[in-house]
Amino acid sequence: MHETRTLAELVTAGWSEADLQWEKLSEAALAALAEGQVEPARELYAQALRVARTEFPPNDPRLAASLSNQAVVQPVSSGRIEASAAQAWASCGRWIDTMTAPRTARSSLFHLRMERLHRPAYEERWRMKARDMLEALRRDHGAMDGLELLDRDAAAQRLLQWDRERPAGMSDPRKFMAAMILLGFRRKAQGTGMEQVHTQAHTGANSLQ
Protein backbone atom coordinates (compact mmCIF):
# COMPACT_ATOMS: atom_id res chain seq x y z
CA MET A 1 0.00 0.00 0.00
CA HIS A 2 1.49 3.33 -1.08
CA GLU A 3 1.22 6.42 1.08
CA THR A 4 0.93 10.01 -0.05
CA ARG A 5 2.38 12.73 2.14
CA THR A 6 2.41 16.47 1.50
CA LEU A 7 5.42 18.63 2.31
CA ALA A 8 3.36 20.38 4.98
CA GLU A 9 2.63 17.04 6.67
CA LEU A 10 6.31 16.13 6.61
CA VAL A 11 7.34 19.44 8.14
CA THR A 12 4.69 19.14 10.85
CA ALA A 13 5.96 15.65 11.70
CA GLY A 14 9.57 16.84 11.78
CA TRP A 15 10.50 14.92 8.63
CA SER A 16 12.35 16.20 5.59
CA GLU A 17 11.89 15.35 1.94
CA ALA A 18 15.11 13.33 2.21
CA ASP A 19 13.58 11.17 4.95
CA LEU A 20 10.68 10.23 2.72
CA GLN A 21 12.86 9.92 -0.38
CA TRP A 22 15.18 7.41 1.31
CA GLU A 23 12.24 5.31 2.44
CA LYS A 24 10.64 5.30 -1.00
CA LEU A 25 13.90 4.41 -2.76
CA SER A 26 14.65 1.57 -0.35
CA GLU A 27 11.12 0.23 -0.63
CA ALA A 28 11.27 0.45 -4.43
CA ALA A 29 14.59 -1.44 -4.44
CA LEU A 30 13.06 -4.22 -2.39
CA ALA A 31 10.07 -4.30 -4.75
CA ALA A 32 12.46 -4.62 -7.69
CA LEU A 33 14.14 -7.61 -6.04
CA ALA A 34 10.71 -9.14 -5.50
CA GLU A 35 10.21 -8.93 -9.27
CA GLY A 36 13.63 -10.39 -10.01
CA GLN A 37 14.94 -7.05 -11.29
CA VAL A 38 18.43 -6.98 -9.78
CA GLU A 39 19.94 -4.17 -11.88
CA PRO A 40 17.15 -1.67 -11.10
CA ALA A 41 17.45 -2.66 -7.43
CA ARG A 42 21.18 -1.88 -7.52
CA GLU A 43 20.54 1.59 -8.91
CA LEU A 44 17.77 2.30 -6.39
CA TYR A 45 19.95 1.20 -3.47
CA ALA A 46 22.76 3.38 -4.82
CA GLN A 47 20.39 6.36 -4.94
CA ALA A 48 19.24 5.66 -1.38
CA LEU A 49 22.87 5.55 -0.25
CA ARG A 50 23.56 8.91 -1.88
CA VAL A 51 20.61 10.41 0.00
CA ALA A 52 21.75 8.87 3.29
CA ARG A 53 25.34 10.03 2.90
CA THR A 54 24.28 13.56 2.00
CA GLU A 55 21.37 14.12 4.36
CA PHE A 56 21.67 11.86 7.42
CA PRO A 57 24.09 11.96 10.37
CA PRO A 58 26.84 9.30 10.51
CA ASN A 59 25.07 7.39 13.30
CA ASP A 60 21.70 7.16 11.53
CA PRO A 61 20.66 3.49 11.14
CA ARG A 62 19.35 4.23 7.64
CA LEU A 63 22.88 5.10 6.54
CA ALA A 64 24.10 1.81 7.99
CA ALA A 65 21.32 -0.04 6.17
CA SER A 66 22.18 1.65 2.87
CA LEU A 67 25.87 0.85 3.22
CA SER A 68 25.06 -2.79 3.94
CA ASN A 69 22.67 -3.02 1.00
CA GLN A 70 25.29 -1.50 -1.27
CA ALA A 71 27.97 -3.91 -0.06
CA VAL A 72 25.77 -6.88 -0.97
CA VAL A 73 24.47 -5.65 -4.33
CA GLN A 74 27.95 -4.45 -5.43
CA PRO A 75 30.25 -7.19 -4.05
CA VAL A 76 33.14 -6.36 -6.40
CA SER A 77 33.81 -3.05 -4.65
CA SER A 78 32.33 -3.94 -1.27
CA GLY A 79 35.48 -4.17 0.89
CA ARG A 80 35.60 -0.50 1.80
CA ILE A 81 31.82 -0.30 2.02
CA GLU A 82 31.71 -3.31 4.37
CA ALA A 83 34.02 -1.54 6.79
CA SER A 84 31.95 1.63 6.59
CA ALA A 85 28.76 -0.36 7.18
CA ALA A 86 30.17 -2.07 10.27
CA GLN A 87 31.31 1.28 11.66
CA ALA A 88 27.91 2.83 10.95
CA TRP A 89 26.00 0.04 12.70
CA ALA A 90 28.36 0.33 15.68
CA SER A 91 27.52 4.02 16.07
CA CYS A 92 23.73 3.66 15.84
CA GLY A 93 23.35 3.35 19.60
CA ARG A 94 23.92 7.08 19.93
CA TRP A 95 21.11 7.74 17.46
CA ILE A 96 18.79 5.49 19.47
CA ASP A 97 19.69 7.41 22.64
CA THR A 98 18.13 10.53 21.11
CA MET A 99 15.18 8.79 19.46
CA THR A 100 11.85 10.40 20.30
CA ALA A 101 8.52 8.61 20.29
CA PRO A 102 5.38 9.96 18.64
CA ARG A 103 2.31 11.07 20.52
CA THR A 104 0.00 8.16 19.87
CA ALA A 105 -3.76 8.03 20.11
CA ARG A 106 -5.01 6.24 23.20
CA SER A 107 -8.24 4.33 23.70
CA SER A 108 -9.17 6.15 26.90
CA LEU A 109 -8.55 9.37 28.76
CA PHE A 110 -6.91 7.33 31.52
CA HIS A 111 -4.29 5.87 29.15
CA LEU A 112 -3.69 9.29 27.62
CA ARG A 113 -3.04 10.77 31.06
CA MET A 114 -0.77 7.88 31.99
CA GLU A 115 1.31 8.38 28.86
CA ARG A 116 1.66 12.08 29.57
CA LEU A 117 2.61 11.40 33.17
CA HIS A 118 5.16 8.70 32.33
CA ARG A 119 6.37 9.98 28.97
CA PRO A 120 10.09 9.36 29.69
CA ALA A 121 9.35 5.76 30.64
CA TYR A 122 7.35 5.22 27.42
CA GLU A 123 10.20 6.58 25.32
CA GLU A 124 12.84 4.55 27.13
CA ARG A 125 10.83 1.36 26.58
CA TRP A 126 10.94 2.00 22.83
CA ARG A 127 14.66 2.73 22.98
CA MET A 128 15.33 -0.51 24.87
CA LYS A 129 13.50 -2.51 22.20
CA ALA A 130 15.43 -0.71 19.47
CA ARG A 131 18.74 -1.45 21.21
CA ASP A 132 17.84 -5.14 21.42
CA MET A 133 17.01 -5.25 17.72
CA LEU A 134 20.20 -3.41 16.80
CA GLU A 135 22.32 -5.77 18.89
CA ALA A 136 20.72 -8.80 17.22
CA LEU A 137 21.52 -7.38 13.80
CA ARG A 138 25.10 -6.49 14.74
CA ARG A 139 25.75 -9.99 16.06
CA ASP A 140 24.86 -11.33 12.64
CA HIS A 141 26.63 -8.58 10.73
CA GLY A 142 30.20 -9.60 11.49
CA ALA A 143 30.90 -11.47 8.25
CA MET A 144 29.43 -9.81 5.18
CA ASP A 145 30.66 -12.70 3.03
CA GLY A 146 28.02 -14.85 4.72
CA LEU A 147 25.21 -12.69 3.34
CA GLU A 148 23.37 -13.02 0.06
CA LEU A 149 20.95 -10.95 -1.96
CA LEU A 150 17.31 -11.77 -1.31
CA ASP A 151 15.61 -13.94 -3.89
CA ARG A 152 12.21 -12.98 -5.26
CA ASP A 153 10.14 -14.80 -2.64
CA ALA A 154 12.19 -13.54 0.30
CA ALA A 155 12.09 -9.96 -1.00
CA ALA A 156 8.32 -10.19 -1.45
CA GLN A 157 7.94 -11.42 2.12
CA ARG A 158 10.15 -8.63 3.43
CA LEU A 159 8.08 -6.10 1.50
CA LEU A 160 4.86 -7.49 2.95
CA GLN A 161 6.38 -7.28 6.41
CA TRP A 162 7.16 -3.60 5.89
CA ASP A 163 3.68 -2.88 4.55
CA ARG A 164 2.17 -4.64 7.55
CA GLU A 165 4.40 -3.37 10.34
CA ARG A 166 5.61 0.12 9.49
CA PRO A 167 4.41 2.71 12.00
CA ALA A 168 1.58 4.79 10.60
CA GLY A 169 2.99 8.15 11.66
CA MET A 170 6.17 9.89 10.53
CA SER A 171 8.42 9.32 13.52
CA ASP A 172 11.86 8.21 14.69
CA PRO A 173 10.57 4.67 15.35
CA ARG A 174 9.47 4.53 11.71
CA LYS A 175 12.95 5.56 10.55
CA PHE A 176 14.45 2.83 12.71
CA MET A 177 12.02 0.14 11.56
CA ALA A 178 12.70 1.07 7.94
CA ALA A 179 16.41 0.52 8.53
CA MET A 180 15.71 -2.86 10.13
CA ILE A 181 13.24 -4.18 7.54
CA LEU A 182 14.14 -2.61 4.17
CA LEU A 183 17.30 -4.69 3.83
CA GLY A 184 17.95 -6.50 0.58
CA PHE A 185 19.97 -9.38 1.99
CA ARG A 186 19.88 -12.31 4.40
CA ARG A 187 22.20 -14.84 6.00
CA LYS A 188 22.91 -17.76 3.65
CA ALA A 189 22.20 -20.37 6.32
CA GLN A 190 18.40 -20.52 6.33
CA GLY A 191 16.61 -19.86 9.59
CA THR A 192 19.52 -18.15 11.37
CA GLY A 193 21.10 -14.76 11.57
CA MET A 194 19.24 -12.14 9.59
CA GLU A 195 16.01 -14.13 9.70
CA GLN A 196 16.18 -13.99 13.49
CA VAL A 197 16.67 -10.24 13.25
CA HIS A 198 13.54 -9.90 11.15
CA THR A 199 11.60 -12.19 13.45
CA GLN A 200 12.59 -9.83 16.25
CA ALA A 201 11.58 -6.87 14.09
CA HIS A 202 8.18 -8.52 13.70
CA THR A 203 7.71 -8.99 17.44
CA GLY A 204 9.01 -5.51 18.21
CA ALA A 205 7.11 -3.54 15.60
CA ASN A 206 4.11 -2.75 17.78
CA SER A 207 6.38 -1.53 20.57
CA LEU A 208 7.97 0.99 18.23
CA GLN A 209 4.75 2.50 16.94
Side-chain angles (χ1 to χ4, degrees), residues 30-143:
L30 201 54
L33 290 178
E35 296 175 358
Q37 303 295 321
V38 176
E39 289 303 320
R42 285 196 177 106
E43 177 55 32
L44 289 162
Y45 276 134
Q47 291 180 41
L49 177 57
R50 286 194 288 271
V51 171
R53 278 177 161 162
T54 303
E55 302 292 340
F56 302 158
N59 60 2
D60 193 305
R62 294 169 297 175
L63 173 59
S66 283
L67 287 166
S68 296
N69 283 329
Q70 188 70 7
V72 174
V73 299
Q74 297 285 3
V76 174
S77 59
S78 65
R80 178 175 53 83
I81 299 177
E82 286 179 24
S84 297
Q87 183 178 4
W89 285 120
S91 69
C92 287
R94 294 193 297 273
W95 186 91
I96 292 174
D97 289 342
T98 63
M99 186 173 73
T100 58
R103 300 284 179 177
T104 56
R106 294 293 171 180
S107 58
S108 69
L109 183 59
F110 169 78
H111 288 98
L112 180 61
R113 287 174 175 170
M114 289 296 292
E115 180 176 341
R116 288 176 178 173
L117 182 62
H118 301 288
R119 183 68 182 174
Y122 276 101
E123 292 197 332
E124 185 55 29
R125 177 172 59 87
W126 289 322
R127 294 187 189 110
M128 289 176 63
K129 177 60 70 173
R131 292 186 191 106
D132 289 344
M133 292 170 62
L134 176 62
E135 181 58 29
L137 187 144
R138 287 189 61 201
R139 283 197 304 268
D140 184 66
H141 202 271

